[in-house]
Amino acid sequence: MLPLRPDETQNKLRNRVLWKLDIHVLPPLALMWLANFIDRTNIGNARISGLEHDTHLVGNQFNVALAVFYASYIIVELPSNWVLKKARPNRWLPFLLVAWGIVTTLSGLVQSFSGLIAVRVMLGLCEGGLLPGMMLYLSTLYRRHELQLRRMHVLICNLTASLSGAFGGLLATAIIKMDGLAGLAGWRWIFILEGIATCLIGLLAAAVLPAGLDSARFFTDDERTFAIERFRAGNQITSSAPSSSDAPKLADVEEKGKEDLRVEMSDTKDEAKWVVNQEDEEFEWREIVRGFLEIQVWLTAMSYLGLIVSLYSFSLFLPTIVAGLGFSGGAAQLHTGMNFFLPPYVPAVFLTVVVAFVADRYRIRGPLIMLFLPLTIAGSCSRILGVLTPHMLVFRLLARTNEVRYGAVFLIASGLYPSAPCILSILPNNTSGHYKKATCVALQLALANLGGFVATFVYTPDQAPQYVRGHTIVLGFVCMAWVLITANVAYCIWENKARKDGKRQRNLEVYRILRDSGKTRAPIGDRHPEFLFTL
C-alpha cells in the first residue's frame, strides 16, 4: 500500500476533527433548541387545555402574559453574549437551560394572572441568552464557511424548531390525559413534565459540550493541535494585518493606483504581521460600537422581525386558530402537531432540509429567503382573500371547508421555517472579531424579538374564527422582511465589488492608526479589504 501523501493525511485529519465536533456539539445544541422552542410555545397548548379558565384570565390578559416574556427576553441577549467567553459557553448555555427548566416547572403551579406574569418574566430572563449564545459558540468551533457547509448548523436552529411544533402537539395531547392526577389539571402537567425534561437536557449538555477547541476531551493531542491551527488559518485574513512598518501609508493609498497597491500588498504578505487570535481578544467598547454601527445588523434584524411576527404568532396561536376551525381538545392538539394526514410542520421540515443542502452547496442565504418567503405570503393571502372575496370562484373554493382553509397553514409554515435559519446565518458569516460578532448576533436577535410584542397581539379573541386582521398584519410584516433581505443582498454585492476593485485598501491604514495610537487591540476583522461577505 502506498504511503499517504501529506494532503491526504490532512484531509483525513480534517474529516476526523469535523466529525467529532459534529457528534459531540451539534446533538446537544439541537436538544437545547428543541427544549427552548417547546418551552416557549407550550403556553399555547396549555391555553386550549384550561389555563385561561383556571387562572381566571379575562380580555387580553393572555396576550399580555405572552408580551412580558419578550420584554425580559430582549433585555438579556446582549449582556449574555458579552459574558459568554468569560463564563465559558459549555457552562453558561446549560446553566440557562436548567434555570428556565425550573421556571417552566413552576409555571404549572400558577393560580392567577399576576403569578403567570411573574413566571413569564423570569422565563424570558433565562431563555434570552440561548440562541445568540449558540450562534456565537458555533463560530468559535467551526471555520467561517463551515457554518454554511455543515447542514447540521442550519438544522440546529430551525429543523428542531419545526419538529418541536409537531412534537409539541403530540406531547401535549398525551400529557393532558393526566388531568386530575395528584389533583392537578392536565395543562399544569404540560409545564411540570416539560420543565423537568428541560433541566435534564441542560445537565446532559453540561457534561458533553466542550468549552473550546483547546479543551475538547474527545480530541487526541494531534487532532487538537490540528483543529486549533486550521481554525486560526481559516481566520488568518481577519485576525492579522501588516505591521506598522509593512502597512501602506494613508497618502500611498490615496495617491497610488489600485493595481500598484495590490501588488505592493502581495509583495509584503510574508512579512511581519499584527496577529490577534480569537482566544486572545480582550473586551473593548470600540468593538461593541462597531457592532451597533454595522448596517447588516439593522437590515437583517428588521427582516427577521418581520419573520418573527409571523413565526411567533403562528406557533403561539396555531392551536387557538385550529380550534376556531371546528377542532377541539385532543383533536386541536393533533391538528397542530402530527396528524397522519394533515401535518402542517412536515413540509416545513422537508423544505428546511432542502434549503440547508442548497445553502451549504452554494454558500448563499439571502437569495433563498427571497425565494421561500413568497410561500408564506401566498398562504396569508389565501386566508384573507378566502374570507373577503367569497364571490370569486377560486377564493370561494378556498373558504368552502375548514379543512381546505387549514391547508393555507401549510404554505405559511413552508415559507417561514426554511427562511429563519438563513437569516440567522448571515451575521456569523459576515462579521469578524469575537466581540463585534457577539454584539451583532445578539443585537440582531434583540431587535428582531421586538416582533414578539406584535405577535402576541396579532390574533385577538374578537377576530375569531376568521382572524382576517391577524393574517393581514402577518402579511405586511412578511412583505417587509422580503424587501429588507433583498436590500441586504444588494448591499453585500455592492460592497464585495468595491473590495474586489481595491476600493477598501484604506481600511488597512485606518486600522494601523487606531492600533498604533492604542485605541484598539482587537483584530482587524471584517474591515480587512480581502474579507468578502456571504450573500
Side-chain angles (χ1 to χ4, degrees):
M1 182 176 178
L2 294 174
L4 292 176
R5 296 194 307 271
D7 58 336
E8 292 176 330
T9 304
Q10 295 273 329
N11 287 337
K12 286 198 170 185
L13 197 53
R14 169 188 174 276
N15 290 338
R16 285 208 308 270
V17 164
L18 291 177
W19 171 248
K20 287 189 175 183
L21 281 174
D22 289 346
I23 63 174
H24 286 90
V25 174
L26 300 180
L29 291 185
L31 284 175
M32 292 168 73
W33 184 241
L34 175 64
N36 175 263
F37 204 87
I38 289 179
D39 280 339
R40 219 187 312 175
T41 58
N42 56 15
I43 191 171
N45 296 108
R47 182 188 191 185
I48 62 174
S49 301
L51 179 147
E52 278 188 305
H53 177 269
D54 292 352
T55 54
H56 315 293
L57 302 185
V58 295
N60 286 337
Q61 285 185 333
F62 178 79
N63 302 75
V64 173
L66 297 181
V68 296
F69 167 85
Y70 296 107
S72 55
Y73 188 98
I74 291 167
I75 289 173
V76 301
E77 287 182 291
L78 276 164
S80 177
N81 253 22
W82 292 339
V83 304
L84 185 72
K85 186 177 180 181
K86 291 291 185 183
R88 301 172 68 88
N90 65 326
R91 294 292 177 262
W92 182 248
L93 297 179
F95 165 76
L96 295 178
L97 204 73
V98 172
W100 92 60
I102 294 172
V103 174
T104 298
T105 301
L106 295 177
S107 300
L109 305 178
V110 298
Q111 303 292 333
S112 63
F113 173 63
S114 59
L116 184 61
I117 290 293
V119 297
R120 293 295 290 178
V121 169
M122 291 303 300
L123 195 64
L125 289 174
C126 295
E127 289 190 31
L130 181 71
L131 183 54
M134 283 172 53
M135 302 300 291
L136 184 61
Y137 177 46
L138 284 170
S139 71
T140 67
L141 300 175
Y142 290 93
R143 288 168 62 160
R144 180 188 172 205
H145 283 107
E146 285 169 356
L147 294 178
Q148 295 184 342
L149 292 173
R150 313 302 294 181
R151 287 197 298 272
M152 281 301 295
H153 170 245
V154 178
L155 300 184
I156 283 174
C157 294
N158 214 56
L159 177 55
T160 52
S162 304
L163 289 173
S164 70
F167 179 66
L170 277 177
L171 189 61
T173 302
I175 293 176
I176 59 175
K177 295 184 184 298
M178 298 174 63
D179 186 52
L181 184 65
L184 298 176
W187 68 266
R188 296 184 185 278
W189 282 111
I190 292 176
F191 288 122
I192 293 171
L193 294 184
E194 291 182 1
I196 292 173
T198 297
C199 291
L200 294 177
I201 292 173
L203 295 175
L204 173 66
V208 173
L209 292 176
L213 294 174
D214 58 342
S215 61
R217 295 190 300 271
F218 47 80
F219 284 148
T220 65
D221 291 339
D222 287 343
E223 289 169 347
R224 183 177 297 105
T225 301
F226 176 79
I228 294 171
E229 289 178 351
R230 70 180 294 273
F231 183 85
R232 289 178 177 176
N235 292 327
Q236 186 173 5
I237 291 176
T238 58
S239 63
S240 63
S243 65
S244 299
S245 59
D246 295 324
K249 299 299 182 286
L250 186 57
D252 295 334
V253 174
E254 294 173 344
E255 293 175 6
K256 289 189 176 183
K258 297 171 186 174
E259 296 299 325
D260 292 339
L261 182 58
R262 282 199 291 271
V263 170
E264 179 183 61
M265 289 304 299
S266 66
D267 288 342
T268 62
K269 64 182 180 181
D270 294 326
E271 300 298 328
K273 303 284 186 179
W274 174 280
V275 180
V276 183
N277 291 315
Q278 173 183 272
E279 60 271 24
D280 300 323
E281 183 179 348
E282 297 292 333
F283 179 88
E284 61 180 63
W285 284 106
R286 181 176 291 274
E287 290 298 285
I288 306 303
V289 173
R290 283 212 312 126
F292 272 84
L293 296 179
E294 174 59 58
I295 186 173
Q296 291 188 72
V297 169
W298 297 90
L299 289 174
T300 60
M302 292 298 102
S303 180
Y304 194 35
L305 182 149
L307 257 70
I308 277 181
V309 170
S310 184
L311 186 67
Y312 285 6
S313 61
F314 180 84
S315 58
L316 289 170
F317 291 98
L318 181 59
T320 302
I321 294 172
V322 170
L325 291 177
F327 306 103
S328 61
Q333 302 283 9
L334 285 174
H335 276 75
T336 64
M338 193 65 73
N339 180 296
F340 287 111
F341 301 104
L342 295 174
Y345 291 97
V346 168
V349 173
F350 172 75
L351 288 174
T352 298
V353 175
V354 172
V355 169
F357 176 80
V358 175
D360 293 344
R361 177 68 178 81
Y362 296 102
R363 300 185 180 184
I364 56 174
R365 289 292 183 261
L368 293 173
I369 301 170
M370 295 163 61
L371 179 64
F372 277 89
L373 277 188
L375 292 178
T376 300
I377 293 172
S380 298
C381 286
S382 66
R383 296 297 302 272
I384 296 167
L385 295 175
V387 174
L388 297 183
T389 58
H391 58 284
M392 296 180 63
L393 177 60
V394 63
F395 296 122
R396 188 186 309 142
L397 293 174
L398 287 175
R400 186 170 57 189
T401 66
N402 285 334
E403 285 76 13
V404 174
R405 289 199 299 271
Y406 177 55
V409 173
F410 287 70
L411 285 176
I412 295 173
S414 296
L416 284 176
Y417 283 94
S419 298
C422 291
I423 292 184
L424 293 177
S425 298
I426 291 173
L427 291 180
N429 279 270
N430 288 353
T431 58
S432 185
H434 178 84
Y435 286 103
K436 183 190 176 181
K437 183 180 294 184
T439 302
C440 288
V441 170
L443 180 58
Q444 178 198 51
L445 290 167
L447 293 170
N449 279 316
L450 292 173
F453 293 106
V454 180
T456 54
F457 292 97
V458 166
Y459 296 105
T460 51
D462 59 294
Q463 302 176 48
Q466 304 295 349
Y467 297 97
V468 175
R469 187 171 72 245
H471 294 316
T472 304
I473 293 171
V474 166
L475 175 61
F477 275 97
V478 173
C479 290
M480 179 190 76
W482 190 92
V483 170
L484 291 176
I485 206 65
T486 301
N488 193 73
V489 170
Y491 168 76
C492 290
I493 293 174
W494 172 75
E495 181 63 20
N496 283 348
K497 184 178 185 303
R499 295 186 178 205
K500 290 177 181 178
D501 291 342
K503 296 179 180 179
R504 298 294 182 263
Q505 296 294 338
R506 185 177 184 275
N507 290 356
L508 292 172
E509 172 64 6
V510 172
Y511 172 71
R512 184 191 68 80
I513 294 172
L514 290 173
R515 188 187 66 216
D516 290 352
S517 62
K519 293 181 179 179
T520 187
R521 284 296 180 266
I524 188 170
D526 50 53
R527 291 168 288 191
H528 200 290
E530 294 181 21
F531 181 91
L532 298 180
F533 295 135
T534 301
L535 299 186

